[in-house]
Amino acid sequence: MAHAPQPRLDTWATDRAAGVLLGAAVGDALGVPYEFQATLRDDQQPRMIGGGLGPYAPGEYSDDTQMQVCIAKVAADGADLRTPETLDAIATNFQGWLSGGASDVGSQTRAVLGAAGSAPGEPGAAMLAAARSFTAGNDRSAGNGSLMRTGVVAL
């Protein structure tokens, strides 16, 4: 499949992209202690206190941003994110993140990356096959976790 050429970001656009990623990371770090918690009352203000589902320090972002960084490292050089080679690089980064001591990993993410890591073949294709298999067998697999990791794709 032929892909259209990727646009190259100029200095201004690169600066804006870095700002978007930084803003997402800060928002994630602020939200860490509140994931799956009750809505704050009107008299409460969110605070960057760490904790949450992982052993997060105040100001530390969660697995959502950690995985977005795995994608950003591949995209930083202007890679076309639609190619099998690029998907292989992202899948390899995800596996490195998981095996490198990821602080918090959702059950669906762990299941897909675990299945992909033990599958033969190219890492990207194995990740896609594992994700499709998981989704086919789990009617509650359409969460928003994947969306929290894709801001860099739009950039």
Side-chain angles (χ1 to χ4, degrees):
M1 170 193 303
H3 295 289
Q6 289 293 98
R8 302 300 281 173
L9 299 180
D10 61 21
T11 302
W12 181 87
T14 300
D15 183 59
R16 295 288 184 164
V20 167
L21 294 173
L22 179 61
V26 170
D28 185 19
L30 180 62
V32 155
Y34 305 105
E35 189 169 14
F36 299 114
Q37 300 298 315
T39 302
L40 294 177
R41 297 183 316 266
D42 289 341
D43 64 331
Q44 293 178 304
Q45 294 293 317
R47 297 181 315 140
M48 201 169 289
I49 57 175
L53 300 177
Y56 298 115
E60 184 179 3
Y61 51 74
S62 77
D63 59 317
D64 301 320
T65 301
Q66 292 167 11
M67 291 186 79
Q68 188 164 236
V69 168
C70 291
I71 299 168
K73 286 179 178 179
V74 175
D77 293 327
D80 183 342
L81 296 178
R82 300 167 293 182
T83 68
E85 297 80 16
T86 302
L87 187 56
D88 287 344
I90 292 168
T92 298
N93 284 355
F94 284 167
Q95 292 294 347
W97 165 78
L98 181 65
S99 66
S103 56
D104 174 40
V105 184
S107 58
Q108 181 172 334
T109 299
R110 186 175 298 282
V112 169
L113 292 181
S118 62
E122 298 301 320
M127 187 175 63
L128 280 173
R132 288 182 178 126
S133 176
F134 185 92
T135 300
N138 294 278
D139 61 352
R140 296 189 55 132
S141 64
N144 68 344
S146 59
L147 296 175
M148 293 184 282
R149 297 165 174 93
T150 59
V152 68
V153 174
L155 296 173

